[in-house]
Amino acid sequence: MMHLPELIILDVGHGNSAILQDINAVTVIDCPPPSTLVDTLERLGIDTIDHILISHSDLDHAGGLPTLLDEITVRNVYINPDANNNSQSWVDIRIALELAEDRGTKVHTSLTSTSSKRIKSGQVEIEILAPSVGVALGGAGGPDLSRRKQSSNTMSVVIGLIHNSSRVILFPGDMSEHGLDNLVKKQQNIEAQILVFPHHGGGPGNKNGYEFAQKLCKLVNPDLVVFSLGRNHLFGPNHEENPRDDIMRGVVSALPSAHIMCTQLSGKCAAKEPISDFSHLTNLPARGFRSSSCC
């Protein structure tokens, strides 16, 4: 029987998803398509989720919600509105959440820094470091407090997990340069042992990627940096270029001794997929198995 908390960062291709569980609770952070998350929960024997936290409305972070809500009992979903998202997938997610609410799921439509440590997940404290209330009230498409136009990436929920009074990991979603700026205006300390790098190692907005990565890594000061990426992208052009060269230079410059891991083998590391039986990996589902892209 599990007693200590366990955190699993899934290989979902281009997207983000993690499962936090211990004897008292199960929490899922981000739910992308297709079925890797559901398959992993089934393999682990999990039939009830206490909390789902969605960083923002993009398909690669929230598009798996309709399937998950159909197949597994979910007690709480925390997700912010996005009036700027006109996609059919976002409409489908909203319909699925409304149907789930009719079946007993509580849908919380405000996930801001005021929620910090109010969401209980067993032995782990869940911090919501961003967005602040003032930023969230501007909404996607509206202005932030410095009159800069916000996007779903700018307003990504930044999640920290604390165990034994130490911040173990930071999930910044697809946080952009403006999101980082707003974060550090409100939070004096964002250090963590592990950083899941925002936006899968892609561009941070208008800012130079080197400067963004260097600043973020110096502030977080992690021992391990994780890039949740897909070698073969499904959600638009250029994702196969992640992590970008300027991002990697910034990470290595700021953290010369840190370990760097990717959920799939980046094309930057190997132009062709190596021949492997993947015996070095766990037996949990991984999207990279299908295309020999596991790292």
Short mmCIF file of all heavy atoms in Angstrom, two decimals, residues 3-60:
data_model
loop_
_atom_site.label_atom_id
_atom_site.label_comp_id
_atom_site.label_asym_id
_atom_site.label_seq_id
_atom_site.Cartn_x
_atom_site.Cartn_y
_atom_site.Cartn_z
N HIS A 3 2.18 4.85 0.90
CA HIS A 3 2.11 5.77 2.01
C HIS A 3 2.72 7.12 1.64
O HIS A 3 2.14 8.16 1.90
CB HIS A 3 2.82 5.18 3.23
CG HIS A 3 2.14 3.97 3.78
ND1 HIS A 3 1.01 4.05 4.55
CD2 HIS A 3 2.43 2.66 3.66
CE1 HIS A 3 0.61 2.82 4.89
NE2 HIS A 3 1.46 1.97 4.36
N LEU A 4 3.91 7.11 1.02
CA LEU A 4 4.54 8.35 0.62
C LEU A 4 3.90 8.87 -0.66
O LEU A 4 3.44 8.10 -1.50
CB LEU A 4 6.04 8.12 0.39
CG LEU A 4 6.88 7.82 1.62
CD1 LEU A 4 8.32 7.51 1.20
CD2 LEU A 4 6.86 8.99 2.60
N PRO A 5 3.87 10.18 -0.83
CA PRO A 5 3.33 10.72 -2.09
C PRO A 5 4.19 10.29 -3.28
O PRO A 5 5.41 10.15 -3.16
CB PRO A 5 3.41 12.23 -1.88
CG PRO A 5 3.52 12.44 -0.41
CD PRO A 5 4.24 11.23 0.11
N GLU A 6 3.53 10.10 -4.40
CA GLU A 6 4.22 9.77 -5.65
C GLU A 6 3.74 10.71 -6.74
O GLU A 6 2.54 10.93 -6.90
CB GLU A 6 3.94 8.32 -6.06
CG GLU A 6 4.62 7.92 -7.36
CD GLU A 6 4.34 6.49 -7.74
OE1 GLU A 6 3.14 6.12 -7.83
OE2 GLU A 6 5.31 5.72 -7.93
N LEU A 7 4.66 11.27 -7.48
CA LEU A 7 4.34 12.16 -8.59
C LEU A 7 4.85 11.53 -9.89
O LEU A 7 6.01 11.18 -9.99
CB LEU A 7 4.98 13.54 -8.40
CG LEU A 7 4.76 14.53 -9.54
CD1 LEU A 7 3.29 14.97 -9.59
CD2 LEU A 7 5.66 15.75 -9.37
N ILE A 8 3.95 11.41 -10.86
CA ILE A 8 4.29 10.85 -12.16
C ILE A 8 4.07 11.91 -13.22
O ILE A 8 2.95 12.42 -13.37
CB ILE A 8 3.44 9.60 -12.49
CG1 ILE A 8 3.59 8.54 -11.39
CG2 ILE A 8 3.83 9.03 -13.84
CD1 ILE A 8 2.60 7.40 -11.53
N ILE A 9 5.13 12.27 -13.94
CA ILE A 9 5.01 13.17 -15.08
C ILE A 9 4.91 12.30 -16.32
O ILE A 9 5.80 11.52 -16.63
CB ILE A 9 6.21 14.12 -15.18
CG1 ILE A 9 6.28 15.01 -13.92
CG2 ILE A 9 6.11 15.00 -16.43
CD1 ILE A 9 7.51 15.89 -13.86
N LEU A 10 3.80 12.41 -17.03
CA LEU A 10 3.49 11.49 -18.11
C LEU A 10 4.11 11.93 -19.43
O LEU A 10 4.27 13.12 -19.70
CB LEU A 10 1.97 11.38 -18.29
CG LEU A 10 1.16 10.95 -17.08
CD1 LEU A 10 -0.31 10.88 -17.43
CD2 LEU A 10 1.64 9.62 -16.54
N ASP A 11 4.42 10.94 -20.26
CA ASP A 11 4.76 11.20 -21.66
C ASP A 11 3.45 11.20 -22.44
O ASP A 11 2.90 10.16 -22.77
CB ASP A 11 5.71 10.13 -22.19
CG ASP A 11 5.85 10.15 -23.71
OD1 ASP A 11 5.44 11.15 -24.33
OD2 ASP A 11 6.35 9.15 -24.27
N VAL A 12 2.96 12.42 -22.72
CA VAL A 12 1.72 12.56 -23.48
C VAL A 12 1.99 13.16 -24.86
O VAL A 12 1.07 13.62 -25.53
CB VAL A 12 0.70 13.44 -22.72
CG1 VAL A 12 0.25 12.76 -21.45
CG2 VAL A 12 1.29 14.82 -22.41
N GLY A 13 3.25 13.15 -25.28
CA GLY A 13 3.61 13.86 -26.50
C GLY A 13 3.66 15.34 -26.20
O GLY A 13 4.06 15.77 -25.11
N HIS A 14 3.27 16.15 -27.18
CA HIS A 14 3.27 17.60 -26.96
C HIS A 14 2.09 17.96 -26.07
O HIS A 14 0.93 17.98 -26.50
CB HIS A 14 3.16 18.35 -28.30
CG HIS A 14 3.17 19.84 -28.13
ND1 HIS A 14 4.33 20.56 -28.05
CD2 HIS A 14 2.17 20.73 -27.98
CE1 HIS A 14 4.04 21.84 -27.88
NE2 HIS A 14 2.73 21.97 -27.84
N GLY A 15 2.37 18.24 -24.82
CA GLY A 15 1.34 18.54 -23.85
C GLY A 15 1.90 18.39 -22.45
O GLY A 15 3.09 18.13 -22.27
N ASN A 16 1.05 18.58 -21.46
CA ASN A 16 1.45 18.42 -20.07
C ASN A 16 0.43 17.58 -19.33
O ASN A 16 -0.77 17.73 -19.53
CB ASN A 16 1.54 19.78 -19.36
CG ASN A 16 2.86 20.46 -19.56
OD1 ASN A 16 3.07 21.11 -20.58
ND2 ASN A 16 3.76 20.33 -18.61
N SER A 17 0.91 16.70 -18.47
CA SER A 17 0.02 15.97 -17.57
C SER A 17 0.86 15.32 -16.48
O SER A 17 1.94 14.79 -16.74
CB SER A 17 -0.79 14.90 -18.31
OG SER A 17 -1.80 14.38 -17.47
N ALA A 18 0.34 15.36 -15.25
CA ALA A 18 1.01 14.72 -14.12
C ALA A 18 -0.05 14.18 -13.16
O ALA A 18 -1.14 14.72 -13.05
CB ALA A 18 1.91 15.71 -13.40
N ILE A 19 0.32 13.10 -12.48
CA ILE A 19 -0.55 12.47 -11.49
C ILE A 19 0.16 12.50 -10.14
O ILE A 19 1.30 12.05 -10.02
CB ILE A 19 -0.87 11.01 -11.86
CG1 ILE A 19 -1.55 10.92 -13.22
CG2 ILE A 19 -1.74 10.36 -10.79
CD1 ILE A 19 -1.65 9.50 -13.76
N LEU A 20 -0.51 13.03 -9.13
CA LEU A 20 0.00 13.06 -7.76
C LEU A 20 -0.91 12.17 -6.92
O LEU A 20 -2.13 12.37 -6.90
CB LEU A 20 -0.02 14.50 -7.22
CG LEU A 20 0.23 14.68 -5.73
CD1 LEU A 20 1.65 14.29 -5.36
CD2 LEU A 20 -0.06 16.13 -5.31
N GLN A 21 -0.32 11.20 -6.24
CA GLN A 21 -1.15 10.31 -5.43
C GLN A 21 -0.42 9.89 -4.16
O GLN A 21 0.80 9.80 -4.12
CB GLN A 21 -1.57 9.07 -6.22
CG GLN A 21 -0.42 8.18 -6.65
CD GLN A 21 -0.89 6.84 -7.18
OE1 GLN A 21 -1.95 6.34 -6.83
NE2 GLN A 21 -0.10 6.22 -8.05
N ASP A 22 -1.20 9.68 -3.12
CA ASP A 22 -0.75 8.98 -1.93
C ASP A 22 -1.95 8.22 -1.37
O ASP A 22 -2.96 8.06 -2.05
CB ASP A 22 -0.09 9.91 -0.92
CG ASP A 22 -1.05 10.94 -0.32
OD1 ASP A 22 -2.28 10.81 -0.51
OD2 ASP A 22 -0.58 11.88 0.33
N ILE A 23 -1.87 7.77 -0.14
CA ILE A 23 -2.93 6.95 0.41
C ILE A 23 -4.23 7.74 0.59
O ILE A 23 -5.33 7.16 0.66
CB ILE A 23 -2.47 6.34 1.76
CG1 ILE A 23 -3.43 5.22 2.21
CG2 ILE A 23 -2.34 7.40 2.83
CD1 ILE A 23 -2.93 4.46 3.42
N ASN A 24 -4.13 9.07 0.62
CA ASN A 24 -5.29 9.89 0.96
C ASN A 24 -5.96 10.57 -0.21
O ASN A 24 -7.13 10.96 -0.10
CB ASN A 24 -4.87 10.97 1.97
CG ASN A 24 -4.42 10.38 3.30
OD1 ASN A 24 -5.08 9.50 3.84
ND2 ASN A 24 -3.29 10.83 3.79
N ALA A 25 -5.26 10.76 -1.33
CA ALA A 25 -5.85 11.56 -2.40
C ALA A 25 -5.13 11.32 -3.72
O ALA A 25 -3.97 10.89 -3.75
CB ALA A 25 -5.81 13.04 -2.05
N VAL A 26 -5.84 11.63 -4.80
CA VAL A 26 -5.28 11.62 -6.16
C VAL A 26 -5.59 12.96 -6.80
O VAL A 26 -6.74 13.41 -6.81
CB VAL A 26 -5.87 10.49 -7.02
CG1 VAL A 26 -5.35 10.59 -8.46
CG2 VAL A 26 -5.53 9.12 -6.44
N THR A 27 -4.55 13.62 -7.31
CA THR A 27 -4.71 14.90 -8.01
C THR A 27 -4.07 14.79 -9.38
O THR A 27 -2.97 14.23 -9.52
CB THR A 27 -4.05 16.04 -7.21
OG1 THR A 27 -4.72 16.18 -5.95
CG2 THR A 27 -4.11 17.35 -7.96
N VAL A 28 -4.74 15.32 -10.38
CA VAL A 28 -4.22 15.35 -11.74
C VAL A 28 -4.00 16.80 -12.14
O VAL A 28 -4.87 17.65 -11.92
CB VAL A 28 -5.19 14.65 -12.73
CG1 VAL A 28 -4.78 14.91 -14.18
CG2 VAL A 28 -5.24 13.15 -12.45
N ILE A 29 -2.84 17.07 -12.71
CA ILE A 29 -2.51 18.41 -13.20
C ILE A 29 -2.45 18.37 -14.71
O ILE A 29 -1.57 17.72 -15.29
CB ILE A 29 -1.18 18.91 -12.60
CG1 ILE A 29 -1.28 18.98 -11.08
CG2 ILE A 29 -0.80 20.27 -13.20
CD1 ILE A 29 0.03 19.27 -10.39
N ASP A 30 -3.40 19.00 -15.35
CA ASP A 30 -3.57 19.09 -16.81
C ASP A 30 -3.97 17.77 -17.44
O ASP A 30 -3.52 16.69 -17.04
CB ASP A 30 -2.32 19.65 -17.49
CG ASP A 30 -2.26 21.17 -17.41
OD1 ASP A 30 -3.30 21.79 -17.10
OD2 ASP A 30 -1.19 21.76 -17.66
N CYS A 31 -4.85 17.87 -18.43
CA CYS A 31 -5.47 16.70 -19.06
C CYS A 31 -5.47 16.85 -20.58
O CYS A 31 -6.48 17.26 -21.16
CB CYS A 31 -6.90 16.52 -18.58
SG CYS A 31 -7.08 16.34 -16.82
N PRO A 32 -4.38 16.52 -21.25
CA PRO A 32 -4.37 16.62 -22.71
C PRO A 32 -4.94 15.38 -23.37
O PRO A 32 -5.04 14.32 -22.73
CB PRO A 32 -2.87 16.74 -23.02
CG PRO A 32 -2.24 15.89 -21.95
CD PRO A 32 -3.09 16.07 -20.72
N PRO A 33 -5.33 15.46 -24.63
CA PRO A 33 -5.62 14.24 -25.37
C PRO A 33 -4.30 13.60 -25.79
O PRO A 33 -3.25 14.23 -25.65
CB PRO A 33 -6.40 14.76 -26.59
CG PRO A 33 -5.87 16.14 -26.79
CD PRO A 33 -5.52 16.67 -25.42
N PRO A 34 -4.25 12.34 -26.27
CA PRO A 34 -5.41 11.47 -26.44
C PRO A 34 -5.68 10.66 -25.19
O PRO A 34 -6.27 11.20 -24.26
CB PRO A 34 -5.01 10.61 -27.62
CG PRO A 34 -3.51 10.55 -27.53
CD PRO A 34 -3.05 11.82 -26.91
N SER A 35 -5.20 9.39 -25.06
CA SER A 35 -5.68 8.50 -24.00
C SER A 35 -4.60 8.11 -22.98
O SER A 35 -4.88 7.30 -22.10
CB SER A 35 -6.24 7.21 -24.62
OG SER A 35 -5.23 6.50 -25.32
N THR A 36 -3.40 8.68 -23.06
CA THR A 36 -2.32 8.24 -22.18
C THR A 36 -2.68 8.40 -20.71
O THR A 36 -2.40 7.53 -19.88
CB THR A 36 -1.03 9.02 -22.48
OG1 THR A 36 -0.74 8.93 -23.88
CG2 THR A 36 0.14 8.47 -21.68
N LEU A 37 -3.31 9.52 -20.36
CA LEU A 37 -3.67 9.77 -18.96
C LEU A 37 -4.68 8.74 -18.47
O LEU A 37 -4.50 8.14 -17.40
CB LEU A 37 -4.22 11.18 -18.81
CG LEU A 37 -4.78 11.54 -17.42
CD1 LEU A 37 -3.74 11.37 -16.34
CD2 LEU A 37 -5.32 12.98 -17.44
N VAL A 38 -5.74 8.51 -19.23
CA VAL A 38 -6.76 7.53 -18.84
C VAL A 38 -6.14 6.14 -18.73
O VAL A 38 -6.40 5.40 -17.77
CB VAL A 38 -7.93 7.53 -19.84
CG1 VAL A 38 -8.89 6.38 -19.55
CG2 VAL A 38 -8.68 8.85 -19.79
N ASP A 39 -5.30 5.77 -19.70
CA ASP A 39 -4.65 4.45 -19.67
C ASP A 39 -3.78 4.30 -18.43
O ASP A 39 -3.74 3.22 -17.82
CB ASP A 39 -3.80 4.26 -20.93
CG ASP A 39 -4.64 4.17 -22.20
OD1 ASP A 39 -5.86 3.96 -22.09
OD2 ASP A 39 -4.06 4.32 -23.29
N THR A 40 -3.07 5.36 -18.06
CA THR A 40 -2.20 5.30 -16.89
C THR A 40 -3.01 5.16 -15.60
O THR A 40 -2.67 4.37 -14.71
CB THR A 40 -1.31 6.54 -16.81
OG1 THR A 40 -0.55 6.66 -18.03
CG2 THR A 40 -0.36 6.47 -15.63
N LEU A 41 -4.09 5.92 -15.49
CA LEU A 41 -4.95 5.81 -14.31
C LEU A 41 -5.51 4.40 -14.17
O LEU A 41 -5.55 3.84 -13.07
CB LEU A 41 -6.08 6.83 -14.40
CG LEU A 41 -5.66 8.31 -14.28
CD1 LEU A 41 -6.80 9.23 -14.71
CD2 LEU A 41 -5.22 8.65 -12.87
N GLU A 42 -5.92 3.82 -15.30
CA GLU A 42 -6.44 2.44 -15.26
C GLU A 42 -5.34 1.47 -14.85
O GLU A 42 -5.58 0.55 -14.05
CB GLU A 42 -7.01 2.08 -16.62
CG GLU A 42 -8.30 2.83 -16.96
CD GLU A 42 -8.83 2.49 -18.34
OE1 GLU A 42 -8.11 1.81 -19.10
OE2 GLU A 42 -9.96 2.92 -18.67
N ARG A 43 -4.13 1.64 -15.38
CA ARG A 43 -3.02 0.75 -15.02
C ARG A 43 -2.68 0.84 -13.54
O ARG A 43 -2.31 -0.16 -12.91
CB ARG A 43 -1.79 1.13 -15.87
CG ARG A 43 -0.57 0.23 -15.65
CD ARG A 43 -0.71 -1.10 -16.37
NE ARG A 43 -0.84 -0.89 -17.81
CZ ARG A 43 0.19 -0.76 -18.66
NH1 ARG A 43 1.42 -0.79 -18.20
NH2 ARG A 43 -0.03 -0.61 -19.96
N LEU A 44 -2.85 2.04 -12.96
CA LEU A 44 -2.56 2.24 -11.55
C LEU A 44 -3.72 1.83 -10.65
O LEU A 44 -3.62 1.89 -9.42
CB LEU A 44 -2.21 3.71 -11.29
CG LEU A 44 -0.92 4.23 -11.93
CD1 LEU A 44 -0.83 5.75 -11.76
CD2 LEU A 44 0.30 3.55 -11.33
N GLY A 45 -4.85 1.44 -11.26
CA GLY A 45 -6.02 1.05 -10.48
C GLY A 45 -6.75 2.21 -9.85
O GLY A 45 -7.45 2.04 -8.84
N ILE A 46 -6.64 3.40 -10.44
CA ILE A 46 -7.30 4.59 -9.91
C ILE A 46 -8.64 4.77 -10.61
O ILE A 46 -8.69 4.92 -11.83
CB ILE A 46 -6.41 5.84 -10.13
CG1 ILE A 46 -5.12 5.72 -9.32
CG2 ILE A 46 -7.17 7.11 -9.76
CD1 ILE A 46 -4.09 6.79 -9.63
N ASP A 47 -9.72 4.74 -9.84
CA ASP A 47 -11.05 4.92 -10.42
C ASP A 47 -11.73 6.19 -9.94
O ASP A 47 -12.85 6.51 -10.36
CB ASP A 47 -11.94 3.71 -10.15
CG ASP A 47 -12.10 3.40 -8.67
OD1 ASP A 47 -11.68 4.24 -7.83
OD2 ASP A 47 -12.63 2.32 -8.35
N THR A 48 -11.07 6.93 -9.05
CA THR A 48 -11.62 8.19 -8.56
C THR A 48 -10.49 9.21 -8.45
O THR A 48 -9.42 8.91 -7.89
CB THR A 48 -12.28 8.02 -7.18
OG1 THR A 48 -13.34 7.07 -7.28
CG2 THR A 48 -12.84 9.35 -6.68
N ILE A 49 -10.73 10.40 -8.95
CA ILE A 49 -9.78 11.51 -8.84
C ILE A 49 -10.38 12.55 -7.92
O ILE A 49 -11.54 12.96 -8.09
CB ILE A 49 -9.49 12.13 -10.22
CG1 ILE A 49 -8.85 11.11 -11.16
CG2 ILE A 49 -8.59 13.37 -10.09
CD1 ILE A 49 -8.74 11.58 -12.60
N ASP A 50 -9.61 12.98 -6.93
CA ASP A 50 -10.11 13.99 -5.99
C ASP A 50 -10.09 15.38 -6.62
O ASP A 50 -11.04 16.16 -6.45
CB ASP A 50 -9.27 13.98 -4.71
CG ASP A 50 -9.42 12.67 -3.96
OD1 ASP A 50 -10.40 12.52 -3.24
OD2 ASP A 50 -8.56 11.78 -4.14
N HIS A 51 -9.00 15.71 -7.32
CA HIS A 51 -8.86 17.05 -7.89
C HIS A 51 -8.23 16.98 -9.27
O HIS A 51 -7.26 16.24 -9.48
CB HIS A 51 -7.97 17.93 -7.00
CG HIS A 51 -8.36 17.97 -5.57
ND1 HIS A 51 -9.51 18.56 -5.12
CD2 HIS A 51 -7.74 17.46 -4.46
CE1 HIS A 51 -9.59 18.43 -3.81
NE2 HIS A 51 -8.53 17.77 -3.38
N ILE A 52 -8.77 17.76 -10.19
CA ILE A 52 -8.10 18.04 -11.46
C ILE A 52 -7.85 19.53 -11.52
O ILE A 52 -8.77 20.34 -11.35
CB ILE A 52 -8.95 17.61 -12.68
CG1 ILE A 52 -9.17 16.09 -12.67
CG2 ILE A 52 -8.27 18.03 -13.98
CD1 ILE A 52 -10.06 15.60 -13.80
N LEU A 53 -6.60 19.91 -11.77
CA LEU A 53 -6.22 21.32 -11.90
C LEU A 53 -5.79 21.55 -13.35
O LEU A 53 -4.90 20.86 -13.86
CB LEU A 53 -5.06 21.67 -10.97
CG LEU A 53 -5.37 21.93 -9.48
CD1 LEU A 53 -5.93 20.68 -8.80
CD2 LEU A 53 -4.13 22.40 -8.75
N ILE A 54 -6.42 22.50 -14.01
CA ILE A 54 -6.12 22.82 -15.40
C ILE A 54 -5.40 24.17 -15.45
O ILE A 54 -5.93 25.18 -14.99
CB ILE A 54 -7.40 22.86 -16.26
CG1 ILE A 54 -8.12 21.51 -16.21
CG2 ILE A 54 -7.07 23.27 -17.69
CD1 ILE A 54 -7.34 20.36 -16.81
N SER A 55 -4.21 24.17 -16.05
CA SER A 55 -3.42 25.41 -16.08
C SER A 55 -4.02 26.45 -16.99
O SER A 55 -3.99 27.66 -16.67
CB SER A 55 -1.98 25.10 -16.50
OG SER A 55 -1.94 24.57 -17.81
N HIS A 56 -4.57 26.04 -18.13
CA HIS A 56 -5.23 26.97 -19.05
C HIS A 56 -5.97 26.16 -20.11
O HIS A 56 -5.89 24.93 -20.13
CB HIS A 56 -4.24 27.95 -19.69
CG HIS A 56 -3.15 27.32 -20.50
ND1 HIS A 56 -2.24 26.42 -19.99
CD2 HIS A 56 -2.81 27.46 -21.81
CE1 HIS A 56 -1.40 26.04 -20.92
NE2 HIS A 56 -1.72 26.65 -22.04
N SER A 57 -6.68 26.85 -20.98
CA SER A 57 -7.68 26.19 -21.82
C SER A 57 -7.15 25.55 -23.10
O SER A 57 -7.91 24.95 -23.84
CB SER A 57 -8.77 27.21 -22.22
OG SER A 57 -8.25 28.18 -23.12
N ASP A 58 -5.86 25.66 -23.38
CA ASP A 58 -5.31 25.12 -24.63
C ASP A 58 -5.56 23.61 -24.73
O ASP A 58 -5.56 22.90 -23.72
CB ASP A 58 -3.82 25.39 -24.74
CG ASP A 58 -3.51 26.84 -25.11
OD1 ASP A 58 -4.47 27.61 -25.31
OD2 ASP A 58 -2.32 27.19 -25.19
N LEU A 59 -5.73 23.14 -25.96
CA LEU A 59 -6.05 21.74 -26.21
C LEU A 59 -5.03 20.79 -25.59
O LEU A 59 -5.40 19.74 -25.04
CB LEU A 59 -6.12 21.51 -27.73
CG LEU A 59 -6.45 20.10 -28.21
CD1 LEU A 59 -7.85 19.69 -27.77
CD2 LEU A 59 -6.32 20.01 -29.74
N ASP A 60 -3.75 21.13 -25.65
CA ASP A 60 -2.71 20.23 -25.15
C ASP A 60 -2.58 20.24 -23.63
O ASP A 60 -1.71 19.56 -23.08
CB ASP A 60 -1.36 20.53 -25.81
CG ASP A 60 -0.90 21.97 -25.63
OD1 ASP A 60 -1.75 22.86 -25.56
OD2 ASP A 60 0.32 22.19 -25.55
#
